[in-house]
Amino acid sequence: TLTVAAVLISRPIVFALNDKMWTKYRIAQAFKIVDRDGAPARGNPTRAAWGPLDPAADPNDTSGMYHDYSSDALRARGARFLVCHNAIGGVSADFVKSSGVAHADIVADWTANVLPGFTVVPAGGMAVQLAQERGWKLYPITD
């Protein structure tokens, strides 16, 4: 059995937030994020599955769930997502001025509005260390 856990740190933590937060804080505009068609994103463009989440789908079908990298599809295939609370605090600070909302309130708002299946952890680095101590292997993905 292979289980994948992604730890979101720094700016990518916004992809753990629901559409309500994307709209309220204008996240797509702030980071110039577009949807799959290249249009300005109206919500979190990485969440919704592209099609049916059918585990019986042919793994070679490029339109099936095994080629869908949305968080819904990844979770349906067993992936787990951890979200660094320290990063929530750091990234959300950039939205204080534009939103007019107090920083502590943004942190509370974002923490309460992560997507289903995403778990906020105190520190992403700590989560990685604890997973490695329990036998998980680290495969960093960078640009």
Side-chain angles (χ1 to χ4, degrees):
T1 299
L2 174 66
T3 301
V4 176
V7 181
L8 301 180
I9 59 173
S10 191
R11 287 184 171 187
I13 60 99
V14 299
F15 295 111
L17 300 174
N18 62 28
D19 287 347
K20 178 181 170 186
M21 296 296 95
W22 276 67
T23 300
K24 181 175 181 178
Y25 294 100
R26 301 175 41 116
I27 292 170
Q29 293 85 347
F31 293 126
K32 297 177 178 56
I33 296 172
V34 297
D35 64 19
R36 289 180 46 216
D37 299 321
R42 288 189 228 160
N44 184 338
T46 65
R47 181 200 55 80
W50 305 349
L53 296 177
D54 179 9
D58 179 355
N60 296 313
D61 177 4
T62 57
S63 62
M65 78 177 268
Y66 296 103
H67 289 267
D68 180 340
Y69 59 83
S70 67
S71 61
D72 284 350
L74 293 170
R75 285 188 316 104
R77 296 194 314 257
R80 301 294 176 255
F81 294 91
L82 305 176
V83 184
C84 177
H85 189 270
N86 288 338
I88 289 174
V91 174
S92 64
D94 293 339
F95 291 83
V96 172
K97 188 174 182 180
S98 63
S99 69
V101 178
H103 188 219
D105 293 336
I106 298 174
V107 171
D109 212 7
W110 286 18
T111 302
N113 283 281
V114 296
L115 295 169
F118 284 66
T119 303
V120 176
V121 295
M126 176 199 67
V128 170
Q129 178 64 36
L130 290 172
Q132 287 180 299
E133 288 176 6
R134 287 161 179 77
W136 287 67
K137 304 296 181 213
L138 180 63
Y139 296 99
I141 300 172
T142 59
D143 308 9

